[in-house]
Amino acid sequence: MFSHPNPETVVRELGDKVVDAIVHAVRAAKEEFASYREQHPGWAADNAARTIAGLIHDWMWTDLRQQLDSLPHVNLIDQDPTREIAVQVHSEERLSYLLRVKLHHLDGSTSSYQTQTVIDFEMQGSSETFPGWGEVRLEAGYEWDKDTRTMGEPVISLRHGRNKIIWVHQLPDRGALAGGMVPLPAAPRPPQPVVDVPDREHGQAEGGQA
């Protein structure tokens, strides 16, 4: 029978560098998203949800690559359309973790086209697609409020199949931005009119010359 590790064990075995990299990538993506909405409010308002998710995914992946690419026990797999983070760990119960970057809805669910590869990834245990023994597959990313279109906290989750969420765990942010959400910037206001009022003494001087 497959034994599911608890979130505390997963965080410990992934290690500070990997966990902090995920947290940092979410923070960096929040900043990029806020800047994007501020600079292009019309685009941001009209973007489809999948477009926004794709932008955030790219921002996170770029940041993760910068932080993790040099770590000897981490392998970044970037083979379009698949991006994965393989982490070798020292554990008596497992050999490695395989992570994918995902948007998490507030109920813990994630969204994917249900290809056979996705189905096999979410179903723990070895398979023809993922034959590795001792591998645990996780989804790492951020919470997403679809009503306000805001990014929330960094999270990792473990599931066993599409509809069976084992747990969702919020990751600690030790170097944190205050607050959790990136609010929608205020709508731009039209510039205030400028009224040119001449200086009283200057006006009197001009009047005296008339």
Side-chain angles (χ1 to χ4, degrees):
M1 181 178 178
F2 185 84
S3 175
H4 300 298
N6 61 47
E8 292 76 20
T9 297
V10 170
V11 168
R12 185 180 70 252
E13 292 182 347
L14 286 175
D16 289 346
K17 290 184 178 180
V18 172
V19 171
D20 288 348
I22 296 168
V23 172
H24 188 278
V26 172
R27 190 191 317 154
K30 282 184 180 182
E31 293 174 355
E32 292 285 356
F33 187 36
S35 177
Y36 175 73
R37 297 179 94 169
E38 184 174 0
Q39 295 177 23
H40 305 288
W43 294 357
D46 292 339
N47 283 147
R50 63 180 178 274
T51 302
I52 294 293
L55 288 170
I56 294 172
H57 181 98
D58 286 344
W59 290 325
M60 283 192 62
W61 185 259
T62 297
D63 196 79
L64 285 166
R65 188 172 55 214
Q66 292 173 350
Q67 296 179 81
L68 297 176
D69 206 25
S70 63
L71 298 183
H73 66 295
V74 176
N75 182 29
L76 298 177
I77 303 161
D78 192 351
Q79 299 175 346
D80 190 42
T82 301
R83 285 171 167 171
E84 296 173 335
I85 306 168
V87 183
Q88 296 180 342
V89 297
H90 297 288
S91 169
E92 295 181 356
E93 299 183 20
R94 60 199 60 85
L95 299 176
S96 63
Y97 290 96
L98 189 64
L99 297 84
R100 289 185 176 179
V101 176
K102 297 293 293 183
L103 172 158
H104 289 65
H105 298 288
L106 298 183
D107 63 358
S109 64
T110 59
S111 301
S112 299
Y113 292 110
Q114 288 298 286
T115 64
Q116 189 59 50
T117 300
V118 169
I119 293 171
D120 290 345
F121 180 89
E122 294 179 335
M123 186 66 69
Q124 300 296 329
S126 62
S127 66
E128 185 174 341
T129 308
F130 299 96
W133 178 84
E135 177 183 82
V136 174
R137 293 182 287 278
L138 304 168
E139 292 178 338
Y142 56 96
E143 293 177 320
W144 176 255
D145 187 326
K146 67 178 182 179
D147 294 327
T148 59
R149 290 183 133 195
T150 48
M151 294 177 66
E153 300 302 321
V155 294
I156 56 173
S157 64
L158 175 68
R159 59 201 71 230
H160 188 47
R162 169 93 307 232
N163 299 316
K164 187 176 181 180
I165 302 170
I166 308 301
W167 47 255
V168 178
H169 181 70
Q170 188 178 119
L171 296 175
D173 188 347
R174 289 187 289 248
L177 288 173
M181 295 286 190
V182 176
L184 180 67
R189 298 178 179 178
Q192 296 295 319
V194 177
V195 179
D196 186 9
V197 180
D199 180 77
R200 177 178 295 180
E201 293 183 0
H202 180 70
Q204 290 174 345
E206 289 183 343
Q209 293 172 0

